[in-house]
Amino acid sequence: MAQSFGVIGLAVMGENLALNVERNGFPIAVYNRSREKTDAFMAQRAVGKNVVAAYSLESFVAALERPRKILIMVKAGAPVDATIEQLKPLLDEGDILIDGGNSLFTDTERRAKDLESAKFTFIGMGVSGGEEGALNGPSLMPGGTEQAYKYLEPILTKIAAQVDDGPCVTYIGPGGAGHYVKMVHNGIEYGDMQLIAEAYDLLKSVLGLNAEQLHEVFAEWNTTDELDSYLIEITADIFKKVDPDTNTPLVELILDAAGQKGTGRWTVADALELGVSIPTIIAAVNARIISSYKQERVEASKVLTGPTAKFEGDVKAFVTKVRDALYCSKMCSYAQGMALLSKASETYGFHLDLGECARIWKGGCIIRARFLNKIKHAFDENPSLPNLLLAPEFRQTILDRQEAWREVIATAAKVGIPVPAFSASLDYFDSYRRDRLPQNLTQAQRDYFGAHTYLRTDKEGVFHTEWMKPDESVQQQTPDVVLEGQPQPSRSEVQKQEAETLS
């Protein structure tokens, strides 16, 4: 009897997803380029399960029922292309290939077009949840051919994480939509992790909390509506781990140089391309980069001194303020990510449902958190919401807590603790809430040295000034590119906005 589902690639994620599929009632076939890996899997984790091992792609494809459903779990990039090219001669019309790795969405777009022209179907599926999620229920973000998703839906809805309002999977959209949403998920994850790291640094370096106290703080935060999340939960756990050789908290023995696999950098690059502001996520990527300058930082620390000020306030009150600052900053990070998804949906024709994106992140994935319910609710109430910060609940929360947020960042500056993501979040909030920014001067400078033109608040039209000549040299010109990324409002729109602000 033919197997229902096939998995190529038996590294950690591939193995665990294969076992998840089999456990949920779908017999599987597996293949790995290295025979030894397949043998080890069959001799250990696959014992007693409905698994067929294949040692060639020909026998692997032959073991599957039609239309074949094949999950590719190999390293992103060239290995995915190579696997697809090897499979194509062996497949029949209508067979479905699923790339479950962290592929760049433009690669997914290209592969989808290529395979569909060859009468196959392709799904680019983001998978989040790590090793545990893959085995017990991840968040799944499949995009591509919708008909192919319908074939896969009975399997995907069973293997996904289950939350109060359904499985953490939905059809995301065409082409590379699934991998795009996963990419932005990872960008938000970068922001979340950096914000938590900065909160830890403040509590440890400013207040002097030890590992046991840090565990207690993060465990208590994880009981709150605002911060109950997987990342806060594991952070609390991390502070409990003691190195048996040194009897020292293990976290303090880990080298402070963070790695990255590219999805955060891709998020930043595409946000810049689309003209969407994501400063918290950018700060998080930059923080990982500068952390890698370990030896340079060690040498610099010997000659570059900082402030000598010490914290002298109420420790318990400051812990609460750090919690509030973390939550406000976290809201900004998610607001930026959702704004990027909205712009990408419009630009790339993804037709994303932002409320559903938030819903499927409620379980299984790395950024799962209780407050995603609030994000889903905000977009369900107003699908065209331009920014999460404008949703009534989020707006009021930040307005209530911004004083604590500002005090935490000011304290960090006074004692010389870098909080780039906290600061970027506050700058984002302050920039977004202001009806006038100093870029009128920027436009004047651009026009001065490059004749780039500018718009006025009191007249319609596009203008250029000969800045070193008499006033009568001001003249209306053919429009040039005035703004990056966003359309410029007309003078009447600006006047209307200013009147509304004053009222």
Side-chain angles (χ1 to χ4, degrees), residues 346-357:
E346 173 190 334
T347 303
Y348 301 131
F350 288 155
H351 309 294
L352 301 179
D353 183 330
L354 298 185
E356 269 293 278
C357 289

Side-chain angles (χ1 to χ4, degrees), residues 277-295:
S277 177
I278 58 165
T280 307
I281 297 169
I282 291 173
V285 174
N286 283 336
R288 294 197 188 191
I289 293 171
I290 201 167
S291 79
S292 70
Y293 302 171
K294 176 62 177 178
Q295 191 54 44

Side-chain angles (χ1 to χ4, degrees), residues 186-381:
N186 284 21
I188 295 171
E189 178 186 309
Y190 273 54
D192 241 351
M193 293 174 71
Q194 177 62 25
L195 290 167
I196 292 169
E198 290 175 17
Y200 150 68
D201 198 8
L202 287 164
L203 298 176
K204 175 178 178 288
S205 302
V206 177
L207 299 183
L209 299 192
N210 61 32
E212 183 179 349
Q213 291 168 319
L214 288 165
H215 163 71
E216 291 171 358
V217 168
F218 279 90
E220 192 277 325
W221 286 358
N222 198 49
T223 66
T224 65
D225 283 340
E226 299 93 340
L227 295 179
D228 176 11
S229 65
Y230 173 71
L231 284 171
I232 294 290
E233 176 188 346
I234 67 170
T235 301
D237 289 344
I238 285 167
F239 291 122
K240 291 193 300 183
K241 192 70 172 179
V242 175
D243 174 54
D245 296 331
T246 63
N247 203 33
T248 300
L250 180 58
V251 68
E252 301 304 332
L253 300 175
I254 296 174
L255 185 71
D256 55 318
Q260 54 181 313
K261 291 188 175 180
T263 47
R265 186 175 68 250
W266 295 345
T267 305
V268 169
D270 201 62
L272 293 173
E273 186 69 28
L274 295 180
V276 178
S277 177
I278 58 165
T280 307
I281 297 169
I282 291 173
V285 174
N286 283 336
R288 294 197 188 191
I289 293 171
I290 201 167
S291 79
S292 70
Y293 302 171
K294 176 62 177 178
Q295 191 54 44
E296 284 185 52
R297 291 188 291 110
V298 170
E299 295 304 316
S301 70
K302 299 172 184 176
V303 295
L304 299 178
T305 58
T308 58
K310 301 294 184 182
F311 178 78
E312 297 178 349
D314 184 314
V315 170
K316 187 174 182 180
F318 192 72
V319 169
T320 300
K321 289 172 183 176
V322 173
R323 180 200 67 195
D324 289 346
L326 175 57
Y327 185 48
C328 290
S329 299
K330 181 185 178 84
M331 280 188 279
C332 288
S333 183
Y334 278 76
Q336 294 160 33
M338 301 310 281
L340 178 55
L341 288 180
S342 178
K343 181 66 173 180
S345 180
E346 173 190 334
T347 303
Y348 301 131
F350 288 155
H351 309 294
L352 301 179
D353 183 330
L354 298 185
E356 269 293 278
C357 289
R359 187 194 68 77
I360 65 170
W361 292 343
K362 285 168 55 178
C365 72
I366 303 303
I367 66 170
R368 62 184 183 264
R370 194 190 306 181
F371 101 125
L372 282 161
N373 279 313
K374 298 177 182 178
I375 296 179
K376 179 182 185 303
H377 181 257
F379 284 111
D380 285 349
E381 282 209 326

Side-chain angles (χ1 to χ4, degrees), residues 39-267:
D39 286 340
F41 178 65
M42 295 303 295
Q44 299 167 25
R45 303 187 73 191
V47 172
K49 296 178 170 57
N50 196 340
V51 182
V52 169
Y55 294 93
S56 69
L57 283 176
E58 290 81 1
S59 60
F60 171 77
V61 169
L64 297 171
E65 67 182 20
R66 295 180 57 189
R68 299 178 181 92
K69 299 173 280 292
I70 299 172
L71 175 63
I72 300 170
M73 294 298 296
V74 302
K75 187 177 179 180
V80 176
D81 287 323
T83 302
I84 290 172
E85 287 305 309
Q86 291 166 5
L87 281 169
K88 280 166 69 174
L90 309 175
L91 300 177
D92 294 301
E93 183 174 336
D95 286 350
I96 304 165
L97 295 181
I98 311 148
D99 174 13
N102 274 332
S103 289
L104 183 60
F105 78 100
T106 50
D107 286 344
T108 303
E109 296 270 359
R110 169 179 54 80
R111 290 166 185 148
K113 290 175 183 175
D114 175 62
L115 286 165
E116 286 168 11
S117 68
K119 307 300 183 184
F120 309 129
T121 52
F122 186 66
I123 291 286
M125 183 169 71
V127 180
S128 180
E131 180 179 356
E132 180 186 352
L135 180 63
N136 297 315
S139 174
L140 300 174
M141 293 154 259
T145 310
E146 188 166 12
Q147 183 182 5
Y149 173 75
K150 293 298 182 186
Y151 276 113
L152 297 170
E153 192 171 22
I155 298 174
L156 299 184
T157 53
K158 283 287 188 70
I159 70 170
Q162 308 293 317
V163 293
D164 55 354
D165 49 7
C168 292
V169 61
T170 190
Y171 175 66
I172 299 294
H179 276 139
Y180 194 94
V181 169
K182 176 56 164 53
M183 178 186 78
V184 175
H185 163 284
N186 284 21
I188 295 171
E189 178 186 309
Y190 273 54
D192 241 351
M193 293 174 71
Q194 177 62 25
L195 290 167
I196 292 169
E198 290 175 17
Y200 150 68
D201 198 8
L202 287 164
L203 298 176
K204 175 178 178 288
S205 302
V206 177
L207 299 183
L209 299 192
N210 61 32
E212 183 179 349
Q213 291 168 319
L214 288 165
H215 163 71
E216 291 171 358
V217 168
F218 279 90
E220 192 277 325
W221 286 358
N222 198 49
T223 66
T224 65
D225 283 340
E226 299 93 340
L227 295 179
D228 176 11
S229 65
Y230 173 71
L231 284 171
I232 294 290
E233 176 188 346
I234 67 170
T235 301
D237 289 344
I238 285 167
F239 291 122
K240 291 193 300 183
K241 192 70 172 179
V242 175
D243 174 54
D245 296 331
T246 63
N247 203 33
T248 300
L250 180 58
V251 68
E252 301 304 332
L253 300 175
I254 296 174
L255 185 71
D256 55 318
Q260 54 181 313
K261 291 188 175 180
T263 47
R265 186 175 68 250
W266 295 345
T267 305

